[in-house]
Every structure is written in structure tokens, then in C-alpha cells.
Amino acid sequence: MTNSEQSGITMSACASTAQIGIADWLSKSPYHEWHLESYKCVLGKYTPKRDA
């Protein structure tokens, strides 16, 4: 999880290229057995529901 202040990723960049970045990260990380169930692009600071 990141926000645009930390990473410089815009909402449109998230929507159009997030899958590519996630696939690249998974292929190069030590977590090869992990699989992605979902991802979400959120404008502003994201707070998980359990923390709200």
C-alpha cells in the first residue's frame, strides 16, 4: 500500500499501469508463491475499514 505523496503515482497511472507494476514486483520479490486477489486505486489517504 502506498499513497501518491509517497510514490508520486497519480490516480490515472494507478488505473492504467498498476497491474504491470504489481506483476513485476511479484516476479522479482521473494514471494513467488503469492497471488494477487485484488487491488484498489483510491484518491487521497486510504484507511482500511477495520481501522476507521
Side-chain angles (χ1 to χ4, degrees):
M1 181 179 353
T2 185
N3 65 36
S4 60
E5 292 174 359
Q6 295 171 322
S7 64
I9 297 172
T10 64
M11 191 68 170
S12 61
C14 178
S16 63
T17 62
Q19 291 178 333
I20 297 167
I22 293 166
D24 184 54
W25 179 83
L26 284 172
S27 71
K28 294 177 181 177
S29 74
Y31 309 105
H32 298 291
E33 289 141 20
W34 286 18
H35 67 276
L36 178 67
E37 290 186 13
S38 67
Y39 74 94
K40 181 190 300 190
C41 297
V42 177
L43 187 60
K45 185 177 182 208
Y46 176 72
T47 302
K49 288 181 183 179
R50 67 176 183 267
D51 297 338

